[in-house]
Amino acid sequence: MAAKPVAKRLVVLVSGSGTNLQALLDAIAKTGAEAYGAEIVAVGADREGIEGLARAERAGLPTFVCRVKDHESRDEWDAALTEAVSAYEPDLVVSAGFMKIVGKEFLARFGGRFVNTHPALLPSFPGAHGVRDALAYGAKVTGCTVHFVDDGVDTGPIIAQGVVEVRDEDDESALHERIKEVERRLLVEVVGRIARNGYRIEGRKVVIL
Ligand code: GAR
């Protein structure tokens, strides 16, 4: 008899509206965690009162908030975040619009299994304003990048990218909405695939098995 597939444990980190989180929740609800390959076991945030946390609560998931300003230093915040995430024993951690750079302790614990989604085609336009920066530069195509997080800002090994054309009439919000449509599908596809198949990181190259 074939072994029963086991769902990997995911902790998802958010800072905002949480539509990428919602896409993961919907995909898992649709097929079931075992068929998808992963289940979300908790959702964490760096701030209170956001729609991302409300989405998690509506899905009946445990949530936690770890705010920088509640800690003496950035390192202490990083240690607290590491502990809060570790409590759920995740196989993978997904940053889905989590607008904080994690520190050494977090990366020591979750490096190589911490996935981020970014609204630009890295290595172009890293940082907090990927959409605005691509528009201001006059780029004709942009998109989104799902990548593993390393100790730089949006510099880790790329898992997958999606392309979106920039239109003459685009402002930041219109362009970001079109990027997010592609991004949500890409994130759902990539997280499911790495959870089900496993992967290797060879230098900058990610090989999905
Ligand atoms: C996403 O577009 C994500 O790529 C971006 O925030 C948005 C979150 O949307 N992240 C960054 O800009 C990180 N530098 P959501 O809260 O609706 O999922």
Side-chain angles (χ1 to χ4, degrees):
M1 201 171 79
K4 203 173 165 196
V6 178
K8 295 286 191 304
R9 296 171 64 82
L10 305 182
V11 168
V12 180
L13 301 178
V14 293
S15 297
S17 62
T19 65
N20 281 284
L21 164 68
Q22 189 67 54
L24 288 166
L25 287 168
D26 293 348
I28 294 167
K30 195 169 165 193
T31 61
E34 282 176 11
Y36 180 69
E39 62 177 328
I40 299 176
V41 294
V43 174
D46 63 334
R47 61 198 78 184
E48 313 260 9
I50 54 171
E51 183 59 19
L53 286 174
R55 290 177 193 276
E57 279 153 20
R58 287 198 294 273
L61 291 171
T63 62
F64 59 89
V65 174
C66 191
R67 299 190 303 183
V68 172
K69 65 179 174 194
D70 294 336
H71 299 273
E72 292 278 303
S73 65
R74 195 76 189 200
D75 282 351
E76 281 183 26
W77 169 78
D78 184 58
L81 181 69
T82 306
E83 200 182 309
V85 173
S86 298
Y88 293 97
E89 301 182 344
D91 298 299
L92 290 168
V93 183
V94 179
S95 158
F98 186 61
M99 301 303 281
K100 288 283 180 301
I101 304 294
V102 299
K104 282 197 172 65
E105 195 163 331
F106 194 93
L107 286 176
R109 189 70 158 257
F110 297 112
R113 53 201 179 103
F114 183 28
V115 173
N116 179 47
T117 177
H118 181 75
L121 292 174
L122 294 172
S124 292
F125 314 117
H129 305 292
V131 180
R132 190 187 306 172
D133 293 346
L135 256 184
Y137 196 86
K140 299 297 186 198
V141 292
T142 183
C144 50
T145 302
V146 179
H147 65 98
F148 286 109
V149 178
D150 67 5
D151 60 1
V153 176
D154 300 324
T155 51
I158 291 170
I159 311 170
Q161 295 183 299
V163 175
V164 174
E165 279 189 29
V166 180
R167 296 180 187 156
D168 290 343
E169 66 275 20
D170 269 337
D171 60 11
E172 184 179 352
S173 133
L175 179 56
H176 200 172
E177 276 315 307
R178 287 209 316 291
I179 290 172
K180 282 171 72 167
E181 281 171 26
V182 174
E183 186 178 28
R184 289 189 282 262
R185 284 197 300 271
L186 189 71
L187 185 68
V188 164
E189 197 255 321
V190 163
V191 169
R193 220 146 47 87
I194 63 177
R196 286 188 303 273
N197 299 4
Y199 59 92
R200 273 197 317 268
I201 303 175
E202 297 170 347
R204 290 215 49 87
K205 213 170 154 194
V206 178
V207 181
I208 299 182
L209 304 173

